Amino acid sequence: MSVLTTSSSSRTLKIGVVGFGPFGQFLAKTMIKQGHILQATSRSDHSQLCHHLGISFFREEREFIEADNDVILICTSILSLSQVLNNLPLHFLKRPTLIAEVLSVKEHPRNVLLQVVPEDMDLLCTHPMFGPESGKNGWQDLTFVYDKVRIRDEATCSSFLHIFQSEGCKMLEMSCEEHDKIAARSQFLTHTIGRTLSEMEIESTSMNTKGFETLVQLKESSVSDSFDLFSGLFIYNRFAMKELQNLELALEKVKQKLQQKMEEQSSNESKL
Amino acid sequence: MSVLTTSSSSRTLKIGVVGFGPFGQFLAKTMIKQGHILQATSRSDHSQLCHHLGISFFREEREFIEADNDVILICTSILSLSQVLNNLPLHFLKRPTLIAEVLSVKEHPRNVLLQVVPEDMDLLCTHPMFGPESGKNGWQDLTFVYDKVRIRDEATCSSFLHIFQSEGCKMLEMSCEEHDKIAARSQFLTHTIGRTLSEMEIESTSMNTKGFETLVQLKESSVSDSFDLFSGLFIYNRFAMKELQNLELALEKVKQKLQQKMEEQSSNESKL
Ligand SMILES: NC(=O)c1ccc[n+]([C@@H]2O[C@H](COP(=O)([O-])OP(=O)(O)OC[C@H]3O[C@@H](n4cnc5c(N)ncnc54)[C@H](OP(=O)(O)O)[C@@H]3O)[C@@H](O)[C@H]2O)c1
Ligand SMILES: NC(=O)c1ccc[n+]([C@@H]2O[C@H](COP(=O)([O-])OP(=O)(O)OC[C@H]3O[C@@H](n4cnc5c(N)ncnc54)[C@H](OP(=O)(O)O)[C@@H]3O)[C@@H](O)[C@H]2O)c1
């Protein structure tokens, strides 16, 4: 794991986004602001929004692939990754291209990409640790994790990383495995608690403590991401199940401690 | 439930604190800053700290009771309340006095006080919804809940409430029952999640999301309160057990939804 501090060279990139959902759109806006040229394809028809943003939208995947991108950026849901990649006619790429992705789990897309992407294409696995909510006021000091899985064209890779670096992101190079281990104990856990609070239907009260207020916010930001995203964090991170069990166990232990204290207290009271 | 907005008259009070632990000390500092005269008694010997703060500390409870307080303010732990009150020789009070308390549960102290406090003493049950951590930068906009259980001397009660009102607290009059219902679903829930995260030994990582950062803070502030306080929230709030069960059920439901999605996903993948 290392933090990238040296500023790297950068050039304007032609970036083809695959999956123009909430997160793809969120990233695209900053990339356009920086002067990059964007193209997109997606399951649903986002052509109107793309037109509005100055992005060429392709309904035909083959045309998209042949549209001469420097980078193909996979922003599709975790659950649909295999299907999307299997349908993408990558063998029509006319020249070596950087295939990058931003999924919130890392071992799974790395494994799928290594299987389906032609050998002469470079591979970069990344995870911007922020989204439309937490990054709405800019990306300064937010973490960007990446793993250079197969990079030969360092210049293109470095220009792509520069997009995040120049916005002030904390750049963190890390193996996909290490990412998934840590993310299961932090991001997945956070989403699980947010979803649990939502299941309980907790609401802001007239007498919130500061701590409770942060839980209400957590609940709201968790449900603003799709359930597909949350379940992707679980299904495609092999460390997540264990952390879910750890959470259940820890809650059980807390409950036991409370019950034990209750028994002690009632035996003390009966002695009074 | 009503919010007090009119500014009330106030005078300097002689306040006798029973239980000079973390929260009693925290309150005392602001009361002294405001010019009130403080006295204290406690199980442990806090005479040095009291001397330093300009507070008379009494080891003898009878002397404390006879030291002519306008208000006796109970700041002892929830678990020790019955014992502390049963040992306090309140019948030696020389004149009508306001007995106030700040416990984080409300029905229990109200019931105990109604049993042990002589009929000619006034009773005010309160809960400042903040503590040494959340209130360290002042009490502005923090909530102060109270129930005027038995008040005849309105002037003294109002002077006492003015302590919190003048610091900018949001003053919220509410029945003890209503308080406990809401607190079980907010404050107790917050502490339970904080303690659970502590049981899991979660720690800040190199790639925290903003949401996870708030959980790390929650964990830290939960364990900065005593386990006696946390277990008091559970044992002496009759609504807490139900909310603990709701939390467990909600987590179980989230787990089931994840498992169901996982099965769907694996049947989809096998069709690919
Ligand atoms: N949101 C965040 O805060 C965040 C942060 C970092 C990383 N990410 C990652 O970014 C990716 C996108 O996230 P998101 O927030 O936009 O929501 P998401 O629900 O994870 O993904 C939505 C995207 O996936 C596509 N999609 C879903 N099911 C599909 C299917 N069966 N076939 C083809 N395409 C399908 C959608 O296409 P259409 O729109 O065309 O229907 C849309 O582009 C995810 O991998 C997520 O883990 C998200
Ligand atoms: N901390 C907060 O944020 C907060 C906020 C609002 C309300 N409150 C309420 O304020 C009260 C005090 O809270 P705290 O934070 O100071 O911690 P606590 O652990 O709830 O209570 C500590 C106090 O209780 C006394 N005590 C404990 N066991 C005793 C026993 N067996 N016999 C006699 N006295 C005993 C301690 O006396 P010694 O110090 O003399 O040993 C100390 O004064 C609690 O009722 C709590 O619910 C706390």
Side-chain angles (χ1 to χ4, degrees), chain A residues 1 79 82-83 129 134 142-143 145 170 172 174 179 182-183 185-190 192-193 195-197 199-202 205-207 209-212 215 218 227-228 230-231 234-236 241 243-244 246-248 250-255 257-258 261-262 265 269 272, chain B residues 1 79 82-83 129 134 142-143 145 170 172 174 179 182-183 185-190 192-193 195-197 199-202 205-207 209-212 215 218 227-228 230-231 234-236 241 243-244 246-248 250-255 257-258 261-262 265 269 272:
Chain A
M1 183 164 71
L79 301 185
S82 293
Q83 193 195 330
M129 307 295 303
S134 53
L142 300 175
T143 303
V145 171
K170 197 179 100 192
L172 204 57
M174 188 187 279
H179 169 280
I182 300 175
R185 247 185 111 69
S186 54
Q187 190 188 25
F188 168 65
L189 190 63
T190 308
T192 303
I193 290 172
R195 291 269 165 190
T196 301
L197 294 170
E199 200 67 58
M200 276 187 85
E201 299 180 0
I202 66 152
T205 74
S206 55
M207 46 175 244
T209 56
K210 282 194 180 175
F212 182 65
L215 285 186
L218 187 73
F227 190 78
D228 273 10
F230 173 52
S231 53
F234 176 69
I235 300 172
Y236 291 103
M241 175 72 93
E243 296 302 340
L244 180 58
N246 284 343
L247 176 63
E248 286 181 297
L251 180 57
E252 183 57 33
K253 273 198 200 150
V254 168
K255 191 180 163 184
K257 285 185 182 175
L258 286 175
K261 193 82 183 179
M262 186 152 70
Q265 180 72 5
E269 294 238 313
L272 273 187
Chain B
M1 182 165 72
L79 301 185
S82 292
Q83 193 195 331
M129 306 295 301
S134 52
L142 300 176
T143 303
V145 171
K170 196 179 99 192
L172 203 58
M174 190 188 279
H179 168 280
I182 300 175
R185 246 185 112 67
S186 54
Q187 190 188 26
F188 167 67
L189 189 63
T190 308
T192 302
I193 290 172
R195 291 269 164 191
T196 301
L197 293 170
E199 199 67 59
M200 276 188 85
E201 299 180 2
I202 67 151
T205 75
S206 55
M207 48 176 242
T209 55
K210 281 194 180 176
F212 182 64
L215 286 186
L218 187 73
F227 191 78
D228 274 10
F230 173 51
S231 52
F234 175 69
I235 301 172
Y236 290 104
M241 175 70 95
E243 297 301 341
L244 181 58
N246 285 342
L247 177 63
E248 286 181 296
L251 180 57
E252 183 57 32
K253 271 196 200 153
V254 169
K255 191 180 163 184
K257 285 184 181 176
L258 286 175
K261 193 81 182 184
M262 186 151 70
Q265 181 72 7
E269 295 237 313
L272 273 187

Side-chain angles (χ1 to χ4, degrees), chain B residues 69-72 93-99 120-123:
Chain B
N69 294 292
D70 299 308
V71 182
I72 288 191
L93 282 169
K94 289 175 189 154
R95 58 176 173 98
T97 306
L98 173 62
I99 315 293
D120 53 338
M121 306 295 156
D122 282 2
L123 291 182

